[in-house]
Amino acid sequence: MTGSTSRRRFLTTMAAIPALSLLAACDNGPSAANAQGSTASGSANAPQSSGSVNMERLLEAGPLPEMAMGDEDAPVTIVEYASMTCSHCANFHTGTFPALKEQYIDTGKVQYILREFPFDPRAEAGFMLARCAEGKYFPMVDVLFQQQSNWATAQDARTALFNISKLAGFSQESFEACLTNQELLDDVRAVRARGAEFGVDSTPTFFINGRKYAGAMSIEEMSAIIDPLL
């Protein structure tokens, strides 16, 4: 069985898991279903693109409101597909992303869009909680990546996730209501399915002005891609 066939079967199986099961899944111990990209080498050379997609199609409205930072008229648009339980995604967001934000997003050079591509129920739960965080999507994502080791592989991830969620204002009732919201779960899965249509099969995957790059990158590598586009 090829890797792509196995991954498609896994995603099909995931789609059959109802929202109510997410709470139980968070109590079942560490998840093994965590497909990830490779860590960047640290070279300052621009990484090789693995293909391209039509930008207009990539930026078409999806099943959930777009989560974006930066000027929508920026010369460079970065779309990242990530999984909340992906260690390489966490490394990118805690290591590279602060510099990307400071140097490119906050200066109007880059519009950055984050899209959900969860590979397991815990990743789905993390993204759902970020969506339910009432205007605190990116802060919630930041905290979940920063504390990934405390919940993604914990025996009792449900309690760990709830403790993090309380910092964002969740009550026990709103926490459970979020994770049992079948419509939200279906929409998160639809974002993932749409990403697969663009060839996403590992995380993190970036589309930079339509060019596809798989795997976490350093700020030097991202700069080598971005700067010639400015």
Side-chain angles (χ1 to χ4, degrees):
M1 180 184 297
T2 66
S4 60
T5 301
S6 175
R7 201 168 283 119
R8 283 196 299 270
R9 289 188 178 181
F10 170 71
L11 292 175
T12 300
T13 301
M14 283 285 295
I17 302 174
L20 189 61
S21 300
L22 287 183
L23 288 172
C26 288
D27 293 329
N28 288 339
S31 168
N34 192 13
Q36 301 170 348
S38 59
T39 304
S41 65
S43 169
N45 296 327
Q48 184 68 37
S49 167
S50 58
S52 63
V53 299
N54 180 276
M55 276 297 289
E56 289 186 6
R57 182 165 171 258
L58 181 66
L59 297 179
E60 287 177 355
L64 285 170
E66 207 79 280
M67 291 301 172
M69 286 183 178
D71 186 347
E72 63 180 14
D73 295 321
V76 177
T77 297
I78 298 176
V79 177
E80 178 191 1
Y81 282 91
S83 178
M84 286 305 316
T85 52
C86 163
S87 60
H88 297 299
C89 299
N91 289 339
F92 172 79
H93 277 269
T94 58
T96 301
F97 187 76
L100 178 69
K101 185 175 183 298
E102 179 181 359
Q103 296 177 31
Y104 294 100
I105 300 172
D106 292 347
T107 57
K109 298 175 182 178
V110 165
Q111 182 190 37
Y112 167 81
I113 298 169
L114 178 60
R115 291 180 181 169
E116 296 89 346
F117 202 87
F119 274 107
D120 56 74
R122 293 183 180 202
E124 289 181 330
F127 278 128
M128 290 171 72
L129 290 167
R131 287 279 180 177
C132 291
E134 297 184 354
K136 301 174 184 176
Y137 180 87
F138 283 110
M140 188 71 173
V141 166
D142 288 345
V143 172
L144 288 171
F145 275 134
Q146 290 166 7
Q147 299 195 26
Q148 188 186 77
S149 61
N150 295 329
W151 66 270
T153 59
Q155 189 66 32
D156 183 6
R158 177 178 177 175
T159 297
L161 279 172
F162 177 55
N163 287 337
I164 294 171
S165 298
K166 285 192 293 186
L167 300 176
F170 283 82
S171 65
Q172 185 72 49
E173 292 75 17
S174 61
F175 174 78
E176 296 192 8
C178 180
L179 295 186
T180 54
N181 184 333
Q182 187 65 48
E183 181 179 0
L184 176 57
L185 177 59
D186 290 343
D187 286 343
V188 167
R189 289 173 175 169
V191 173
R192 181 190 65 205
R194 188 161 173 258
E197 294 176 2
F198 294 119
V200 178
D201 61 3
S202 64
T203 54
T205 291
F206 302 90
F207 292 94
I208 302 179
N209 278 11
R211 302 291 295 179
K212 179 184 176 185
Y213 301 87
M217 292 184 279
S218 67
I219 188 58
E220 291 80 13
E221 289 172 313
M222 298 205 84
S223 294
I225 299 169
I226 296 168
D227 289 349
L229 301 174
L230 298 175

